[in-house]
Amino acid sequence: MEQVLLIGGNDSGIPFRRLPYGGYPLISCNPDRLPENLHELAKICDLVIVCADQRAGRVIADEIWHLLRRKIVISTTPGFNLSTLRDLYPLSKVCRCELVLDGDVDKCLAVVSFGDSFSESDIASMKRIFSSIGEVLMINEPLFQEVSRVVSEGLTSLSDLVKRLGPDDFQEYLLGWVMYCLGQMILKGNPIESCPNLRGGTGGLGDLAPPAAGSKP
């Protein structure tokens, strides 16, 4: 397994901390407090994952770009497209990544885009790595921004809804069912607009047998 160097803070790159469960040796450090032996860590790693804001992302690249020849660099930095990443890491094979969700979850969807420098072997390695944290969706660079916008708007809407509901357990229970059922409809390819609840009718959640007490959808 590849030796992975994760440069991520307490609130970024969290799903990647599950890589050891997939058998990957993982070294991690905080982008705001880079270790003195960062150069040595960059030399011994096979792959680098950078989860940092733009300021820290540029500092990290300045420090180690010359030590990452032909190595894969995965970046989750918002606003860093493939062109920017190629400029920051001219000797490396760069990958743009967005995590959905970037939090303490059992499985995460990673949306990734990478250039022509990736071989079939590199792509296979990427798939194995991301399978350790969940699922991977590989798309082209022009589509990445649109996907990122949709994800951001969806998460914002859900976050606003949860805030309005408050901490009531019953409301959280209902919302959990709504999200679960919508997910099932999407996976099956059924249009959400076909749901009777959205047409002002009845049925939908009311027709479902509730889960056992204490269970989650």
Side-chain angles (χ1 to χ4, degrees):
M1 290 290 191
E2 296 93 334
Q3 173 72 63
V4 179
L5 171 60
L6 170 62
I7 306 177
N10 294 330
D11 57 350
S12 62
I14 296 174
F16 287 117
R17 297 175 193 173
R18 297 184 59 84
L19 286 175
Y21 293 99
Y24 286 91
L26 180 68
I27 302 172
S28 60
C29 59
N30 194 305
D32 297 321
R33 295 186 297 276
L34 295 175
E36 294 182 359
N37 65 336
L38 179 62
H39 285 194
E40 293 303 315
L41 297 179
K43 290 178 182 178
I44 65 173
C45 75
D46 301 301
L47 182 146
V48 178
I49 303 173
V50 181
C51 303
D53 59 26
Q54 292 193 13
R55 180 197 62 79
R58 293 186 183 279
V59 170
I60 294 165
D62 286 343
E63 284 286 333
I64 62 175
W65 70 269
H66 57 293
L67 303 172
L68 304 177
R69 183 181 296 274
R70 293 187 294 274
K71 296 181 181 181
I72 295 176
V73 177
I74 299 172
S75 170
T76 68
T77 301
F80 277 8
N81 57 26
L82 286 182
S83 178
T84 300
L85 292 174
R86 290 190 191 100
D87 289 340
L88 293 173
Y89 299 96
L91 304 179
S92 306
K93 302 175 182 182
V94 294
C95 168
R96 185 183 186 187
C97 173
E98 179 158 336
L99 297 174
V100 187
L101 297 158
D102 188 355
D104 186 13
V105 293
D106 292 337
K107 286 188 176 182
C108 175
L109 173 65
V111 181
V112 303
S113 174
F114 47 84
D116 298 334
S117 60
F118 278 71
S119 65
E120 290 297 325
S121 175
D122 294 329
I123 295 174
S125 295
M126 294 274 288
K127 290 180 177 179
R128 288 195 300 270
I129 288 170
F130 285 111
S131 69
S132 296
I133 68 171
E135 299 288 338
V136 59
L137 174 62
M138 297 184 175
I139 60 176
N140 58 39
E141 180 68 7
L143 187 58
F144 193 100
Q145 197 62 35
E146 177 64 16
V147 170
S148 179
R149 181 189 64 79
V150 171
V151 168
S152 177
E153 290 178 355
L155 291 177
T156 298
S157 297
L158 288 173
S159 177
D160 290 342
L161 176 58
V162 171
K163 289 177 182 177
R164 290 200 300 271
L165 287 177
D168 188 285
D169 289 341
F170 180 66
Q171 292 173 330
E172 290 185 3
Y173 170 83
L174 290 179
L175 180 59
W177 261 117
V178 170
M179 294 174 66
Y180 173 77
C181 293
L182 286 177
Q184 287 293 306
M185 292 183 69
I186 292 171
L187 289 174
K188 292 180 178 180
N190 298 326
I192 296 175
E193 292 79 6
S194 67
C195 180
N197 301 78
L198 298 179
R199 299 198 302 267
T202 59
L205 293 178
D207 295 332
L208 293 172
S215 66
K216 297 182 179 179

